[in-house]
């Protein structure tokens, strides 16, 4: 009986340790668009919003814009992003592929291609940091709590 309790405590400690590991994730690198790369997306900007939605961007992650042919990448304000305004980039326009950006704060980042009408055709991407992350942490936390209670309940019922 004591060993069963010991085993239970060990499992709980392991789970808590695993949760801790989960939260100190190392910085990741994401290639914008994955295999599509940085280009005029065939179906418009939804290609990049869909791509971004599945990613868990965190501080210190790096995003890589990789392209062939004639493109570039500029970070812009949200308003300039919405309007595809190319004349007021934040920092310099990156002309060489691959162009890397480090997500150094929690703010959202807006990137467009400044060539011709590429932005209007959908070559633009928004990077939101933390949103998906906090939602998924809650889900993971809830799932782990459920697992933990199940283990404890099953251990207790076996003891009787
Ligand atoms: C990001 O990297 C810097 C420098 O390596 C480090 O000091 C900081 O703690 C990191 N931030 C996070 C949230 O990991
Ligand atoms: C964006 O474009 C619209 C329509 O042309 C204009 O009314 C609006 O002022 C522009 N916003 C910015 C921030 O440039
Ligand atoms: C950009 O990231 C890519 C992929 O991780 C890497 O191969 C390349 O060296 C990086 N370039 C710069 C300038 O950091
Ligand atoms: C970024 O947001 C996360 C989640 O809301 C928070 O835990 C973290 O402290 C924030 N980091 C900074 C530098 O604001
Ligand atoms: Cu382009």
């Amino acid at each position: 009986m004591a060993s069963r309790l010991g085993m239970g405590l060990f499992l709980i400690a392991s789970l808590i340790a695993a949760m801790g590991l989960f939260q100190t994730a190392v910085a990741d690198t994401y290639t914008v668009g994955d295999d599509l790369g940085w280009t005029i997306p065939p179906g418009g900007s939804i290609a990049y919003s869909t791509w971004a939605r599945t990613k868990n961007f965190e501080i210190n992650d790096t995003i890589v814009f990789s392209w062939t042919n004639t493109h570039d990448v500029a970070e812009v304000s949200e308003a300039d992003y919405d309007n595809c305004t190319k004349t007021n980039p934040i920092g310099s326009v990156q002309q060489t592929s691959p162009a890397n950006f480090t997500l150094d704060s929690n703010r959202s980042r807006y990137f467009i291609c400044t060539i011709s009408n590429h932005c209007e055709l959908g070559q633009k991407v928004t990077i939101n940091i933390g949103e998906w992350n906090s939602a998924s942490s809650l889900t993971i936390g809830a799932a782990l709590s459920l697992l933990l209670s199940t283990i404890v309940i099953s251990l207790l019922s076996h003891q009787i």
Side-chain angles (χ1 to χ4, degrees):
M1 219 178 265
S3 74
R4 212 176 263 284
L5 192 61
M7 178 78 120
L9 289 173
F10 175 74
L11 278 172
I12 289 166
S14 311
L15 279 172
I16 289 168
M19 283 176 79
L21 279 180
F22 210 92
Q23 281 174 356
T24 52
V26 286
D28 294 312
T29 299
Y30 296 99
T31 301
V32 174
D34 291 326
D35 290 344
L36 177 65
W38 183 236
T39 187
I40 299 170
S45 64
I46 192 167
Y48 290 121
S49 53
T50 302
W51 172 82
R53 199 164 51 233
T54 61
K55 303 296 181 290
N56 176 20
F57 300 112
E58 293 179 299
I59 289 188
N60 284 350
D61 287 350
T62 299
I63 55 170
V64 181
F65 291 83
S66 179
W67 67 87
T68 53
N69 303 324
T70 310
H71 298 292
D72 63 19
V73 57
E75 180 170 8
V76 295
S77 69
E78 183 175 9
D80 287 351
Y81 175 89
D82 289 341
N83 274 9
C84 282
T85 303
K86 302 159 186 94
T87 48
N88 194 24
I90 299 167
S92 54
V93 179
Q94 300 299 310
Q95 319 263 8
T96 309
S97 172
N100 299 358
F101 294 82
T102 299
L103 306 175
D104 55 3
S105 79
N106 270 355
R107 73 184 193 278
S108 294
R109 310 281 291 264
Y110 305 90
F111 299 95
I112 65 172
C113 177
T114 73
I115 306 287
S116 178
N117 62 344
H118 293 191
C119 176
E120 287 83 349
L121 291 173
Q123 194 174 7
K124 58 196 301 200
V125 65
T126 305
I127 306 292
N128 291 315
I129 303 181
E131 284 177 358
W132 192 93
N133 182 37
S134 49
S136 73
S137 300
L138 282 178
T139 310
I140 290 162
L144 279 178
S145 308
L146 192 68
L147 186 63
L148 218 107
S149 342
T150 310
I151 290 171
V152 170
I153 288 168
S154 96
L155 282 167
L156 287 177
S157 58
H158 275 84
Q159 275 183 324
I160 297 165

